[in-house]
Amino acid sequence: MNTPNRIEHQMTDKGYVPVYTTAVVDQPWDSYTKTDHEVWATLFKRQRELLPGRASKEFLQTQDEMGMGEKGIPKFSDLNAQLKAKTGWEIIAVEGLLPELAFFDHLANRRFPVTWWIRKPEQLDYLAEPDLFHDLFGHVPLLMDPVFADYMEAYGKGGVKAHSLGPEALSQLTRLYWYTVEFGLINTSEGLRIYGAGILSSKGESIHCLESAAPNRIGFDLLRVMNTRYRIDTYQKTYFVIDSYQQLFDATLPDFIPYYEQMAGRESTPAGQVLDSDRVFNRGTGEGWLHDGDV
Ligand code: PHE
Ligand code: CO
């Protein structure tokens, strides 16, 4: 039965979303239907036609190396053999979004939770929660990059710590994940490229984030990012641009406790605001922005 084991809907920092059991399951590969494999193939093909010249090269290269393709839904065991050998990461199958602490604990131990089920054919363009296509296609290839792999583990450890500090620290750290791992851009000698999984798994946003005049594109600055609200229901108003994965790793290496103290009680920055101190690649026109609803 291809029905995820859902417990209840809960208000989280990502909105009112389903929360699933924290169980780690076996990927039920044999029970994927022909339609499931076709959904994977359709989305895979569509994104891979779009992404050369838009996605980070490391992403595209490692995705090929790992053998993800149009054949059908990959087996986690095949991907794990490679991940284990290259960076020591592994993917584990889960029912869906996990509670924060369970999620951080997996990352801190180099386990990346991947939703085992895939969206339905009528949901190709949009889904409010992560599914197998988003998690596997979008997140897993960069776990093969040694520096990015280290960043993800460090983030998990930082998450465990932020969780114990309280909701303000947690939401600041969550913004960092959102603006890097999910919606990050990277500056290369050939131009801006996508490395955030939330963009890589979305047809519309893959084009919008680079080619639209509407959003801001701003140089990455740790505290600026951690203080900036975001959108969960529309394209981002602002994308932050890193120079390299090493820059991201180095910037996040220090103990964040002094940063959290510095930011405590400070008013957060609206998602679309440009500050005087920003390194601006593009000042967004703001076209199509909704005025409320920043998270
Ligand atoms: N260095 C951070 C801390 O002490 C942990 C962290 C690393 C957070 C990487 C995010 C990304 O909290
Ligand atoms: Co994601």
Side-chain angles (χ1 to χ4, degrees), residues 112 130 134-135 139 177 181-182 197-198:
F112 192 82
H134 166 79
D135 286 337
H139 285 289
Y177 191 89
V181 179
E182 295 291 356

Side-chain angles (χ1 to χ4, degrees), residues 234-278:
T234 61
Y235 295 150
Q236 299 309 306
K237 293 176 176 178
T238 299
Y239 300 94
F240 289 99
V241 181
I242 60 170
D243 295 319
S244 64
Y245 303 121
Q246 192 66 50
Q247 177 203 19
L248 192 54
F249 185 80
D250 293 345
T252 52
L253 192 58
D255 185 350
F256 279 14
I257 287 184
Y259 300 158
Y260 294 134
E261 283 168 359
Q262 211 178 310
M263 284 186 288
R266 197 193 281 182
E267 203 166 329
S268 57
T269 308
Q273 191 165 322
V274 179
L275 307 178
D276 290 341
S277 49
D278 286 337

Side-chain angles (χ1 to χ4, degrees), residues 31-50:
S31 66
Y32 290 131
T33 63
K34 187 161 167 281
T35 305
D36 290 336
H37 287 294
E38 280 167 5
V39 166
W40 169 273
T42 304
L43 288 170
F44 187 93
K45 184 159 184 283
R46 193 168 85 168
Q47 286 312 97
R48 286 299 301 242
E49 277 168 12
L50 216 58

Side-chain angles (χ1 to χ4, degrees), residues 146-164:
V147 178
F148 196 82
D150 286 350
Y151 171 68
M152 292 292 280
E153 178 193 335
Y155 182 87
K157 292 185 169 140
V160 173
K161 185 162 77 183
H163 190 270
S164 74

Side-chain angles (χ1 to χ4, degrees), residues 28-275:
W29 198 84
D30 291 323
S31 66
Y32 290 131
T33 63
K34 187 161 167 281
T35 305
D36 290 336
H37 287 294
E38 280 167 5
V39 166
W40 169 273
T42 304
L43 288 170
F44 187 93
K45 184 159 184 283
R46 193 168 85 168
Q47 286 312 97
R48 286 299 301 242
E49 277 168 12
L50 216 58
L51 291 178
R54 291 195 175 96
S56 142
K57 260 193 193 144
E58 299 84 61
F59 171 84
L60 295 169
Q61 266 167 20
T62 46
Q63 193 168 62
D64 290 338
E65 265 170 52
M66 297 186 93
M68 286 191 199
E70 286 169 38
K71 306 175 297 293
I73 297 174
K75 287 190 172 151
F76 292 3
S77 52
D78 290 344
L79 302 175
N80 273 337
Q82 305 186 59
L83 279 168
K84 276 274 185 192
K86 183 96 189 281
T87 57
W89 272 81
E90 71 175 306
I91 53 184
I92 51 172
V94 296
E95 305 282 355
L97 271 186
L98 296 176
E100 307 283 4
L101 192 55
F103 179 66
F104 293 142
D105 183 63
H106 285 308
L107 296 188
N109 291 285
R110 293 203 173 225
R111 295 186 298 263
F112 192 82
V114 173
T115 305
W116 65 261
W117 53 269
I118 195 160
R119 68 192 72 184
K120 301 195 165 62
E122 58 272 22
Q123 300 171 307
L124 291 189
D125 293 327
Y126 185 74
L127 194 65
E129 55 177 316
D131 72 334
L132 180 135
F133 184 73
H134 166 79
D135 286 337
L136 205 57
F137 181 97
H139 285 289
V140 170
L142 280 181
L143 296 175
M144 295 278 278
D145 181 275
V147 178
F148 196 82
D150 286 350
Y151 171 68
M152 292 292 280
E153 178 193 335
Y155 182 87
K157 292 185 169 140
V160 173
K161 185 162 77 183
H163 190 270
S164 74
L165 293 173
E168 216 189 354
L170 193 58
S171 89
Q172 287 155 351
L173 193 73
T174 301
R175 291 182 192 129
L176 174 64
Y177 191 89
W178 191 263
Y179 280 120
T180 60
V181 179
E182 295 291 356
F183 291 96
L185 300 180
I186 184 166
N187 194 14
T188 75
S189 54
E190 293 165 316
L192 300 188
R193 295 290 184 268
I194 306 160
Y195 74 93
I199 310 176
L200 292 164
S201 59
S202 155
K203 180 186 176 194
E205 196 145 12
S206 294
I207 300 169
H208 178 86
C209 71
L210 294 172
E211 278 134 87
S212 170
N216 303 312
R217 288 179 278 273
I218 292 171
F220 177 85
D221 176 89
L222 182 65
L223 294 191
R224 158 67 155 115
V225 169
M226 289 176 65
N227 205 42
T228 306
R229 301 206 294 273
Y230 55 87
R231 307 292 308 186
I232 53 168
D233 55 342
T234 61
Y235 295 150
Q236 299 309 306
K237 293 176 176 178
T238 299
Y239 300 94
F240 289 99
V241 181
I242 60 170
D243 295 319
S244 64
Y245 303 121
Q246 192 66 50
Q247 177 203 19
L248 192 54
F249 185 80
D250 293 345
T252 52
L253 192 58
D255 185 350
F256 279 14
I257 287 184
Y259 300 158
Y260 294 134
E261 283 168 359
Q262 211 178 310
M263 284 186 288
R266 197 193 281 182
E267 203 166 329
S268 57
T269 308
Q273 191 165 322
V274 179
L275 307 178

